[in-house]
Amino acid sequence: GSGRPFRTFNVIDDGSRESLVIEVDFSLPAERVVRVLEKIAGERGVPREIVVYDGPKFVSKALDLCAAQRGVALRFIRPGKPVENCFVESFNGTFRKDCLDAHWFEDLGHARRVIESWRQDYNNVRPHSGLGDLAPAEFAALREPPAPSGRQTPKSSSH
């Protein structure tokens, strides 16, 4: 491999503990973070708040503007207080130990494939003690609201 370090941007749903995305690249500027968050919002809806670290990629006009336009509160973790973001801290520890430390990545593409495979396993297979020993996706399925009324797929009827 190139030996070049890469970064990850991990997004967790605090309610279901699902890993919504692990974005992997050599650099993850604020505009890229905003694009990832916009994609998640398009797929899952807009959250009430996003808990973020006071790091450079999160303290940006782009993220502020995106959040303000969508009515999302940004709640910043105080420096040295990781307990204020305990679900992500727990996830990051598991991710580091069970994925990052357990693999030797040949290149960025290999890292992305291994990390995405691990993320799918984490969401769909791995039981979570905080969720009654269900996998995050199983727990999320139990929490899903019933389908909204409105546009429905028409059923064929025979006459």
Side-chain angles (χ1 to χ4, degrees):
S2 70
R4 227 177 127 191
F6 59 83
R7 300 182 171 279
T8 67
F9 171 52
N10 303 339
V11 181
I12 306 302
D13 178 317
D14 282 1
S16 69
R17 314 295 202 280
E18 285 175 286
S19 168
L20 302 183
V21 71
I22 302 175
E23 191 77 2
V24 182
D25 214 327
F26 295 123
S27 172
L28 294 167
E31 293 74 20
R32 172 87 168 270
V33 168
V34 168
R35 277 199 312 273
V36 169
L37 294 174
E38 290 281 358
K39 183 175 187 286
I40 293 169
E43 293 168 356
R44 297 183 64 109
V46 178
R48 287 187 306 273
E49 77 173 13
I50 299 174
V51 180
V52 295
Y53 292 94
D54 201 18
K57 71 176 148 272
F58 296 118
V59 182
S60 79
K61 290 184 173 113
L63 184 60
D64 277 350
L65 181 62
C66 173
Q69 287 172 340
R70 291 185 170 267
V72 176
L74 293 180
R75 186 161 60 85
F76 289 92
I77 299 304
R78 292 176 295 173
K81 301 285 184 184
V83 72
E84 292 180 4
N85 204 4
C86 58
F87 299 133
V88 168
E89 283 301 315
S90 174
F91 173 84
N92 286 346
T94 300
F95 173 54
R96 194 173 299 109
K97 180 173 68 73
D98 295 352
C99 185
L100 298 179
D101 293 349
H103 294 91
W104 181 262
F105 301 107
E106 297 166 15
D107 54 33
L108 192 62
H110 180 240
R112 286 177 174 152
R113 289 188 301 277
V114 168
I115 289 168
E116 180 58 19
S117 175
W118 181 88
R119 188 183 77 83
Q120 291 297 328
D121 182 75
Y122 178 88
N123 283 340
N124 298 297
V125 178
R126 181 186 296 236
H128 194 296
S129 60
L131 304 174
D133 290 324
L134 296 173
E138 291 176 295
F139 184 79
L142 294 176
R143 296 173 55 231
E144 300 259 329
S149 59
R151 190 168 181 192
Q152 304 281 324
T153 304
K155 292 187 166 70
S156 61
S157 59
S158 55
H159 294 279

